[in-house]
Amino acid sequence: MMSLLLALSLLWPLAIAGSVVWGAYRRPQAGRQAGHREGNGYFSLLWISAAWPALLLAYGGEAQWTMDIWMLGGEWELNSLSRPWLAFSALLWSLAAFHARGYFAADQAKAQDGDQDAQRRLLRLALFWPLTLLGNVLLIIAQDIASFYLGFALMTFAAYAFVVHNGTAEAQQGAKVYLIMAVVGEGLILGGFLWAAGEANTLMLQGVRESILTAEQGAWMAALLCLGLGVKAGVIGLHVWLPLAHPVAPAPASAVLSGVMIKAGLLGWISILPLGNAQVSGDLAQFGTIMLVAGLAAAFGAALYGVFQRHPKAVLAYSSISQMGMMTALVAMGLVAPEVWPMLWPGLVLFAAHHALAKGTLFMGTSISEHLPRWPLPLVWALLALPGISLAGTIGAGMISKWSVKSPLHEIHYETLIKLLSWAAVGTAALVCVALWRQWQQRQKGGSHHCQWGAWLAGIVLALTTPLWLPLPAGSIEMPPMKEWLSLMWPLPVGILVTMVGWLVTRPLNAEPPPAGDAWWLYAGIVGAALVPIKHAANRCGQLKTASVATAQHAEERIMGLLNRLLSGETWLRHHASGLMMVLAVLLAALLMWEGQQ
């Protein structure tokens, strides 16, 4: 049964992608339009079901598969880590697909009426959505390098269609940045895997962990892999694609980009780093410290920069960077303090799962505020705020997830880190407040499709109740004692207060917001400046080429002129050859006679 679910989890999205191609290129145009009118267009129930086999697989129990015929030898596994990861990933993919059915209802109507641009955009998204899902599922269950890298690359490059979907200049810019950073990340990952695998002569992720732990250059291998995976995880300095991609991507695409796909880098770190191993070398521990500092810098820096953004999805993108910074710091603790990792990792998985559902719901909520349902506004805004309040650690699963990572840190007396994480939660609360305020400013009436608000409401419920449905090991998660509730809840009111004070202080300035993408524009400027001498050299080469061509043409003209003159002489000789021969014969005869007389 588990093997059947595994096959369906991987083949079903592929079959759906094939059905999209079949429907687009094999059926008559009239039949396609009839299918749209019947509600079986690009986002049919069949298309929505792409992630359902993977969701069933996650709840089927632990399992392991070894396939010698797969590439270099495949090993896939559902264990205490990959099962909950697959569960929340497949669940969010399903909700986002259901939300997409309503979100694109207007575009589907245009496609039905013959709008070729709408048809092209919807076809592209409908095709690459299940392919991106397939890559995500494969990398979660993979235990060998080839499968993990294949899934990661497939997910990364297929998601390009999400960012470029609208086709606007902003979408093309965001897609270009996304693709450049993706290529950089893939190159770093491939280099790190080849180095570690060659050092340990292994094809498995477990071998990579051992290689990093024991090799003399293990810290550098870890750095290479962590930077490559960190492009997806939004590590500070490599995060620049997130605030540029999210504002231009459709809301359901942003939900999976920030909720699920950004977690692929986090899962990669957990899979390849020797976390919790007491034999961690001094270099690896030092690398863990650097990773810890980088995570905290992202948690605070993204919050500070994000509150000044005006697009609600850009604000939420910086919130994702901030939250991923906290998770980066927690992963680093597995190297800095290995003894805490066995107690810490279930809380980190819960943190990731709750963030996925809460952030995915917040992104879906941006489409709700753009097409407000005909409900009382206080109710709508209370529902929009609920996932953000939970994300700040004040209610529901948010409070439990924050306690589940802080409690192990209490036991090893990392009080400073706990305080820093609490203040980072203040930044989360501030970002949520700003995002809701920007949504209020840009709200529009018109009514939401029932699939939009249905998926959104389901996401709210699942985000608030994450510990109840996430298949974590029994007893690994506990409710915080009541005496700790205040220490978990205070960041929300402080964040609201900080936001209000900041708004009152900065409102009279009426300054332009800093550009989304922050460091990207610095990188672009540096690369542009570095290319100036190359461009000058290219221009000089172009000028030299032009001059060389002109000289060659001039020489050719002179040679051709000489040849033409020679040819004209040949023509003259041809016409007077007989006379010249007669003269020559006479001269020779005279010469012979003169010699005879001598």
Side-chain angles (χ1 to χ4, degrees):
M1 183 62 182
M2 291 293 290
S3 297
L4 177 61
L5 283 176
L6 172 68
L8 285 174
S9 299
L10 298 175
L11 296 179
W12 190 243
L14 197 60
I16 291 174
S19 72
V20 172
V21 176
W22 177 267
Y25 296 106
R26 298 301 182 188
R27 297 178 188 172
Q29 180 69 22
R32 291 205 300 272
Q33 291 185 357
H36 289 306
R37 284 192 288 271
E38 294 167 4
N40 298 318
Y42 298 103
F43 307 108
S44 63
L45 185 62
L46 176 69
W47 185 85
I48 292 173
S49 69
W52 294 357
L55 184 60
L56 292 175
L57 180 67
Y59 286 94
E62 297 188 2
Q64 187 174 2
W65 301 270
T66 301
M67 291 148 293
D68 295 332
I69 62 173
W70 170 257
M71 299 176 69
L72 300 175
E75 185 172 322
W76 301 340
E77 185 176 355
L78 277 175
N79 51 37
S80 56
L81 173 64
S82 56
R83 281 188 65 215
W85 216 282
L86 185 61
F88 76 74
S89 299
L91 191 55
L92 185 55
W93 274 104
S94 300
L95 290 175
F98 196 73
H99 186 269
R101 184 184 178 111
Y103 183 88
F104 294 109
D107 282 348
Q108 290 213 74
K110 293 179 182 178
Q112 174 186 331
D113 293 336
D115 188 329
Q116 294 185 356
D117 183 60
Q119 292 175 4
R120 176 181 56 81
R121 289 187 289 109
L122 293 178
L123 175 64
R124 181 176 59 199
L125 186 69
L127 173 62
F128 284 100
W129 183 280
L131 294 178
T132 309
L133 165 65
L134 173 61
N136 195 187
V137 172
L138 180 58
L139 74 89
I140 291 174
I141 64 174
Q143 297 298 314
D144 62 286
I145 297 173
S147 297
F148 180 89
Y149 185 77
L150 174 63
F152 197 93
L154 176 61
M155 180 193 71
T156 296
F157 292 111
Y160 172 82
F162 298 0
V163 186
V164 81
H165 174 78
N166 291 328
T168 61
E170 292 80 6
Q172 292 175 1
Q173 172 70 27
K176 181 179 73 172
V177 176
Y178 172 83
L179 195 58
I180 290 173
M181 297 305 298
V183 171
V184 170
E186 293 295 323
L188 291 172
I189 294 170
L190 183 59
F193 272 142
L194 291 175
W195 190 3
E199 184 74 21
N201 193 23
T202 182
L203 297 174
M204 300 298 159
L205 296 180
Q206 174 64 32
V208 173
R209 285 195 295 272
E210 295 173 356
S211 179
I212 291 174
L213 180 65
T214 59
E216 183 179 355
Q217 303 296 328
W220 290 104
M221 298 177 191
L224 203 61
L225 286 165
C226 285
L227 287 173
L229 295 165
V231 172
K232 191 69 70 214
V235 167
I236 189 168
L238 303 173
H239 66 281
V240 293
W241 65 272
L242 279 160
L244 293 172
H246 280 301
V248 298
S254 289
V256 293
L257 277 168
S258 187
V260 175
M261 292 173 57
I262 198 174
K263 306 296 188 304
L266 180 65
L267 178 62
W269 289 343
I270 298 174
S271 300
I272 57 98
L273 292 176
L275 304 173
N277 195 306
Q279 299 177 355
V280 167
S281 65
D283 288 342
L284 274 175
Q286 186 177 6
F287 172 74
T289 303
I290 296 172
M291 196 174 178
L292 175 64
V293 172
L296 293 174
F300 288 98
L304 182 61
Y305 197 90
V307 294
F308 293 103
Q309 300 299 306
R310 290 185 179 174
H311 197 296
K313 291 173 75 175
V315 178
L316 292 176
Y318 279 104
S319 173
S320 292
I321 297 168
S322 178
Q323 292 278 306
M324 290 303 298
M326 298 184 203
M327 296 183 209
T328 302
L330 293 171
V331 170
M333 290 302 297
L335 296 175
V336 176
E339 68 277 8
V340 77
W341 183 248
M343 300 179 289
L344 185 61
W345 77 261
L348 177 59
V349 174
L350 176 60
F351 188 0
H354 174 255
H355 177 266
L357 270 296
K359 188 54 63 67
T361 304
L362 285 170
F363 273 108
M364 288 189 279
T366 60
S367 76
I368 301 299
S369 61
E370 292 172 355
H371 304 281
L372 286 170
R374 296 174 180 85
W375 304 345
L377 280 180
L379 174 62
V380 174
W381 245 259
L383 291 172
L384 286 170
L386 273 177
I389 295 173
S390 181
L391 200 59
T394 304
I395 59 173
M399 178 186 289
I400 299 174
S401 67
K402 294 297 173 66
W403 172 250
S404 64
V405 297
K406 289 182 178 179
S407 177
L409 297 177
H410 272 299
E411 294 193 19
I412 59 173
H413 307 293
Y414 269 76
E415 306 298 334
T416 302
L417 180 58
I418 293 172
K419 292 177 181 179
L420 290 172
L421 292 175
S422 297
W423 280 104
V426 173
T428 299
L431 287 167
V432 170
C433 291
V434 173
L436 291 171
W437 172 243
R438 296 307 183 192
Q439 287 179 251
W440 174 263
Q441 289 178 318
Q442 301 173 23
R443 68 191 185 280
Q444 299 176 23
K445 296 182 179 179
S448 299
H449 193 278
H450 66 276
C451 290
Q452 276 180 278
W453 57 257
W456 172 60
L457 290 176
I460 293 173
V461 174
L462 291 168
L464 293 174
T465 60
T466 307
L468 299 181
W469 53 262
L470 193 68
L472 283 168
S476 59
I477 301 297
E478 297 178 354
M479 279 287 295
M482 290 191 64
K483 64 179 182 179
E484 298 290 345
W485 284 19
L486 182 60
S487 66
L488 297 171
M489 297 173 65
W490 70 263
L492 178 64
V494 173
I496 296 174
L497 180 62
V498 168
T499 304
M500 294 176 63
V501 172
W503 179 74
L504 291 173
V505 171
T506 58
R507 185 184 181 188
L509 301 177
N510 198 25
E512 287 294 320
D518 50 274
W520 167 256
W521 307 110
L522 175 63
Y523 299 160
I526 293 173
V527 172
L531 290 176
V532 168
I534 299 176
K535 290 179 180 178
H536 284 314
N539 290 334
R540 293 293 298 169
C541 289
Q543 294 171 0
L544 180 61
K545 175 185 175 183
T546 303
S548 300
V549 170
T551 303
Q553 288 177 340
H554 182 65
E556 180 185 9
E557 290 173 357
R558 294 184 61 184
I559 293 171
M560 291 303 298
L562 178 61
L563 290 175
N564 287 332
R565 287 194 294 273
L566 291 174
L567 287 173
S568 63
E570 179 191 9
T571 303
W572 183 86
L573 287 172
R574 189 183 305 120
H575 284 296
H576 299 85
S578 59
L580 291 173
M581 292 298 293
M582 296 274 303
V583 172
L584 181 62
V586 171
L587 291 174
L588 288 173
L591 181 63
L592 290 171
M593 290 174 62
W594 180 75
E595 287 182 354
Q597 293 176 356
Q598 294 293 327

